[in-house]
Amino acid sequence: MDVTLQLTSYPGLDERITILRAADEVDAVFVRTERFNILVDTLATPALCRQALDLLAEKMGRRPLLVINSHMDWDHFWGNAALDRSVPIIAHATATDRLRDPAAQQVLAEKKQEPRFQAVELVAPNITFAGETMALHGGDLTLELIHTPGHTPDHIAVWVPEIRTCLAVDTVEHPIPEVWSSDPADLCALIASLKQIQDLQADYVVLAHGQRADPAVVDSNLRYFARLRDRVAGLGEIDIGATDLADRGGVRLQDLVTVPEDMTAETRVFYERCHRSNLAAVIAAYKAGIKFISDGSDG
Ligand SMILES: [Zn+2]
């Protein structure tokens, strides 16, 4: 599959922000500030990242480039190898753990069967922060990096307070985000991260998948988890243990959210898999008696 890259935006979004759209694979984001340029994510291959840098050349001027890796999922950082070695690449400290995990090499080995991934090498971030937040002071714009675990342990979102814009990356997804594992702790983390983004009361919540910047998606993601909790709580012991549970009426993806009609079959399969992971985590939390979402989240 060949992916072409396009520069785009959303109606009303500040002109210092540019969306880099790699077809329907992923969106990265470019932010221009007075002091420096910031690229949030490097796309899925060095070739795509190179294309992005070429397309952005005019917007970049002579300002230095800083790169943020939102998290160590292949579609967001495999373009790192295209960057000059002097470019600062910022990520959360837990990104380093993910890169060290054998799973990182395993995903690469599997994906390399596709020709476009053959030039990928895993290039690690070179600046990491271990706390909850870190700020980049660009002069006219501030980029607050917020640790938002749950989708992955290393995930960060970016908040730009001056223009009330949140780059939510994969914490918020349309139609649903995906939790890291069936461990209730990850589910609790994802809900807390969604709440944290909701509390920003952003005018724009820019997603990496789903091609949207509508803050209402945050509310609908929280509503989905609240509904899922209620449906699971309404099931009996036998039903909860059923292996085909995710295919049964009431707890299927389409019973909980409106699945876009124009969604491709491939994307639908992907989100049904996400839904199964979420369902497993919600069931694990239910069995352990862990309350992962407050009752006010389904309004
Ligand atoms: Zn992603």
Side-chain angles (χ1 to χ4, degrees):
M1 181 178 71
D2 256 351
V3 177
T4 47
L5 192 72
Q6 256 186 326
L7 301 190
T8 183
S9 188
Y10 293 104
L13 186 68
D14 193 277
E15 49 147 35
R16 289 165 286 188
I17 297 193
T18 305
I19 311 296
L20 296 145
R21 178 155 298 158
D24 54 10
E25 183 168 81
V26 72
D27 287 357
V29 181
F30 174 76
V31 186
R32 174 172 51 88
T33 73
E34 276 169 6
R35 292 203 182 95
F36 33 69
N37 299 306
I38 300 126
L39 183 63
V40 183
D41 286 347
T42 59
L43 305 159
T45 66
L48 280 166
C49 184
R50 234 170 271 123
Q51 251 189 71
L53 297 174
D54 287 348
L55 289 172
L56 292 166
E58 209 175 293
K59 292 183 189 287
M60 292 219 250
R62 300 174 63 85
R63 285 176 296 271
L65 175 68
L66 301 179
V67 170
I68 295 168
N69 282 164
S70 65
H71 63 302
M72 297 288 112
D73 275 358
W74 64 272
D75 47 331
H76 299 266
F77 86 103
W78 279 8
N80 282 5
L83 301 167
D84 201 276
R85 291 184 67 86
S86 63
V87 173
I89 307 175
I90 306 164
H92 194 262
T94 46
T96 318
D97 305 334
R98 285 197 64 200
L99 267 189
R100 273 199 217 109
D101 192 292
Q105 290 295 341
Q106 206 181 316
V107 174
L108 182 60
E110 281 163 22
K111 284 256 170 208
K112 274 200 172 175
Q113 290 169 15
E114 250 184 85
R116 73 187 187 105
F117 293 114
Q118 265 155 23
V120 174
E121 327 159 31
L122 301 185
V123 173
N126 46 39
I127 297 177
T128 60
F129 68 103
E132 293 300 304
T133 61
M134 168 177 178
L136 304 176
H137 299 278
D140 54 342
L141 296 178
T142 313
L143 275 76
E144 292 174 11
L145 317 191
I146 310 171
H147 186 212
T148 44
H151 170 66
T152 63
D154 57 327
H155 194 284
I156 53 181
V158 180
W159 169 234
V160 191
E162 293 87 351
I163 51 174
R164 306 206 61 78
T165 297
C166 176
L167 312 177
V169 197
D170 284 2
T171 294
V172 182
E173 260 194 70
H174 179 78
I176 56 164
E178 185 184 26
V179 70
W180 176 244
S181 80
S182 58
D183 184 334
D186 289 322
L187 181 61
C188 292
L190 179 59
I191 300 302
S193 294
L194 279 163
K195 285 258 187 209
Q196 208 176 349
I197 291 176
Q198 189 182 47
D199 287 345
L200 294 170
Q201 298 191 306
D203 291 338
Y204 294 87
V205 175
V206 177
L207 316 188
H209 304 284
Q211 308 184 351
R212 277 167 173 76
D214 182 358
V217 181
V218 187
D219 308 333
S220 88
N221 282 180
L222 282 165
R223 215 155 39 226
Y224 156 77
F225 280 108
R227 279 187 191 147
L228 193 51
R229 169 205 59 195
D230 293 345
R231 300 281 164 94
V232 166
L235 295 168
E237 278 303 306
I238 298 165
D239 287 330
I240 278 185
T243 48
D244 65 341
L245 186 59
D247 303 316
R248 292 198 192 175
V251 286
R252 294 169 305 175
L253 178 63
Q254 67 267 34
D255 299 323
L256 295 145
V257 293
T258 311
V259 180
E261 274 173 31
D262 57 352
M263 187 178 270
T264 64
E266 196 189 349
T267 308
R268 193 179 169 118
V269 168
F270 173 81
Y271 282 110
E272 276 172 355
R273 189 175 55 75
C274 295
H275 174 61
R276 277 168 212 275
S277 311
N278 296 338
L279 177 61
V282 170
I283 289 174
Y286 175 75
K287 285 183 173 166
I290 293 170
K291 189 174 173 172
F292 60 92
I293 191 164
S294 67
D295 294 327
S297 303
D298 47 357

